[in-house]
C-alpha cells in the first residue's frame, strides 16, 4: 500500500470523491456479477444504486464494504487505489455499512446496542467496568443530534420499529466517524411512513457531510433524496444520471424495464382478446 500523501485531505476538500469505482468487474467462477461498473461518492451527497434482483447490488456493497474484492477496474478511497481485505479495514478507512438485517441484540437496551463492540470503560485492571452513564448520555445526545427523539434509550432495541432501528444504526455510524455510509435497502421491509422516517435520517447523514450510497429497488425512495442515480441491470450499468438529468418518471420507467414492460403489456392484451 502506498503511503498517504499530504494532499489527501486537501484533495477531498477540493471535490475529490471519497470513494470512486471505475470499470469495476467481479466474477464468481464464470458468473458475471458485475461488469464495468463506475460510480463516485462525494461528501454531502447521496448516490443511489438501483436495480432489480440479480442486478449486482449486493456484490457492489460487498466490494465497497471489504467483504469481497474486485477482479478488474479500480477502487479508490480518497483518491488512492485500494483493495480491502475485510470489513474492519473498510471501517478503519471510514466506510460503514448498515445492512437490512441489522446485527443487534434485541433484548439489550438501545444504548448498549449503540456501543456494541466499542464500549467505553472506567477504571483499570480488575476494577475496569463499563461506563454505563457515558453510554446512556452519549446515545441520547447523538440520537437527538440526528433529530431522533426516543422516549427512552433504556428500552430494549427489539421494541423499536424497523425504521427506528435503522435510524439508530445510521446515528451510530456517524458517531463512530464514518465518512461514507452504505445503506443496503434500508426501506425494503418498511411501510410508507417508516420509510419516510428512515429517508429523513439518510438526508440527515448527508447534511452531516457524509457521502451516502443508498441501495434500493424503489425509484420513488431514491428520487426523494438522491443526487446521483446508478442503474444496474444483470451486473452491468444501465444508466448513470445526475439528479438534474433525469425525472422521477424516467427513472421509474428505466427501473421498471421500460420497453420490456410495454412489450409484456402488449402480449397480455393479445392473450385476453
Ligand atoms: P442483487 O443484490 O442486485 O440482487 P447480487 O449482487 O446478489 O444481485 O447478484 C448478482 C449476480 O451474481 C446474480 O446473478 C447472482 O446469482 C450472482 N452471485 C452473487 N453472489 C454469488 C456467489 N457468491 N456465487 C455465485 N454467484 C453469485
Amino acid at each position: 500500500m502506498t503511503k498517504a500523501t499530504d494532499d489527501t485531505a486537501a484533495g477531498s476538500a477540493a471535490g475529490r470523491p471519497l470513494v470512486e469505482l471505475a470499470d469495476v468487474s467481479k466474477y464468481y467462477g464464470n458468473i458475471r456479477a458485475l461488469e464495468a461498473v463506475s460510480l463516485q461518492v462525494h461528501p454531502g451527497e447521496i448516490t443511489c444504486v438501483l436495480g432489480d434482483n440479480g442486478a449486482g447490488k449486493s456484490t457492489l456493497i460487498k466490494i465497497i464494504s471489504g467483504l469481497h474484492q474486485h477482479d478488474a477496474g479500480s477502487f479508490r478511497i480518497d483518491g488512492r487505489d485500494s483493495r480491502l481485505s475485510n470489513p474492519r479495514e473498510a471501517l478503519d478507512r471510514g466506510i460503514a455499512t448498515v445492512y437490512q438485517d441489522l446485527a443487534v441484540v434485541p433484548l439489550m437496551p438501545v444504548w448498549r446496542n449503540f456501543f456494541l463492540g466499542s464500549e467505553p470503560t472506567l477504571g483499570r485492571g480488575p476494577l475496569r467496568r463499563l461506563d454505563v452513564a457515558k453510554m446512556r448520555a452519549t446515545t441520547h445526545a447523538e440520537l437527538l443530534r440526528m433529530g431522533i427523539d426516543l422516549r427512552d434509550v433504556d428500552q430494549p432495541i427489539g421494541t423499536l420499529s424497523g425504521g427506528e432501528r435503522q435510524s439508530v444504526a445510521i446515528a451510530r455510524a456517524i458517531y463512530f466517524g464514518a465518512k461514507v455510509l452504505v445503506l443496503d435497502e434500508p426501506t425494503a421491509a418498511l411501510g410508507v411512513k417508516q420509510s419516510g422516517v428512515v429517508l429523513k435520517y439518510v438526508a440527515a447523514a448527508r447534511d452531516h457531510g457524509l457521502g451516502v450510497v443508498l441501495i434500493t429497488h424503489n425509484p420513488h425512495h431514491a428520487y426523494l433524496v438522491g443526487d446521483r442515480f446508478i442503474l444496474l441491470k444483470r451486473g452491468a450499468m444501465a444508466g448513470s444520471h445526475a439528479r438534474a438529468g433525469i425525472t422521477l418518471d424516467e427513472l421509474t420507467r428505466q427501473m421498471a424495464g421500460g420497453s420490456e414492460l410495454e412489450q409484456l403489456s402488449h402480449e397480455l392484451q393479445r392473450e385476453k382478446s
Side-chain angles (χ1 to χ4, degrees):
M1 184 63 63
T2 51
K3 202 170 151 288
T5 49
D6 288 336
D7 68 354
T8 305
S12 289
R16 177 193 283 169
L18 294 167
V19 165
E20 181 175 20
L21 270 63
D23 291 326
V24 160
S25 299
K26 172 78 190 170
Y27 299 91
Y28 295 109
N30 51 17
I31 295 173
R32 183 193 72 172
L34 281 183
E35 174 83 19
V37 169
S38 302
L39 68 81
Q40 296 190 339
V41 183
H42 290 268
E45 276 191 13
I46 299 176
T47 301
C48 298
V49 177
L50 291 128
D52 216 336
N53 287 345
K57 303 184 300 299
S58 312
T59 305
L60 189 72
I61 294 186
K62 285 174 185 157
I63 292 170
I64 300 178
S65 64
L67 271 164
H68 286 173
Q69 298 189 330
H70 55 293
D71 295 318
S74 66
F75 173 22
R76 292 191 202 97
I77 303 175
D78 270 334
R80 282 193 289 153
D81 273 317
S82 304
R83 192 168 274 279
L84 302 171
S85 22
N86 53 55
R88 183 70 246 174
E89 203 181 324
L91 264 183
D92 291 343
R93 302 282 300 270
I95 301 173
T97 304
V98 173
Y99 291 97
Q100 202 187 115
D101 46 349
L102 296 171
V104 294
V105 186
L107 290 178
M108 279 189 174
V110 174
W111 59 264
R112 193 69 212 271
N113 275 283
F114 193 93
F115 280 94
L116 209 59
S118 310
E119 291 86 353
T121 53
L122 282 171
R124 286 166 186 276
L127 295 178
R128 216 163 88 122
R129 60 202 186 282
L130 294 180
D131 191 346
V132 174
K134 179 176 176 184
M135 287 193 272
R136 258 201 200 106
T138 308
T139 303
H140 185 71
E142 286 303 309
L143 293 180
L144 213 52
R145 207 157 70 88
M146 287 275 293
I148 308 169
D149 195 5
L150 274 194
R151 297 164 298 282
D152 179 11
V153 294
D154 272 306
Q155 63 188 308
I157 201 160
T159 62
L160 301 188
S161 68
E164 284 172 329
R165 279 201 297 271
Q166 288 279 343
S167 314
V168 171
I170 294 171
R172 180 180 199 275
I174 296 176
Y175 174 71
F176 284 103
K179 287 186 285 182
V180 174
L181 180 64
V182 182
L183 299 159
D184 176 21
E185 303 253 8
T187 60
L190 305 178
V192 176
K193 190 154 175 257
Q194 288 283 312
S195 295
V197 170
V198 170
L199 291 174
K200 201 173 103 187
Y201 300 123
V202 173
R206 173 201 63 202
D207 294 344
H208 276 76
L210 276 79
V212 180
V213 181
L214 174 65
I215 313 281
T216 177
H217 61 257
N218 187 322
H220 297 272
H221 292 174
Y223 206 77
L224 276 171
V225 292
D227 296 294
R228 296 162 194 262
F229 306 94
I230 309 291
L231 281 123
L232 297 182
K233 201 178 238 176
R234 286 188 291 275
M237 302 265 293
S240 173
H241 309 274
R243 188 182 181 82
I246 192 162
T247 60
L248 172 60
D249 280 352
E250 182 56 21
L251 194 64
T252 309
R253 205 185 69 84
Q254 290 195 14
M255 251 311 278
S259 52
E260 287 160 40
L261 263 193
E262 281 157 27
Q263 171 74 25
L264 178 64
S265 146
H266 283 305
E267 285 173 20
L268 292 173
Q269 274 172 16
R270 232 176 296 145
E271 281 175 21
K272 264 202 291 189
S273 58

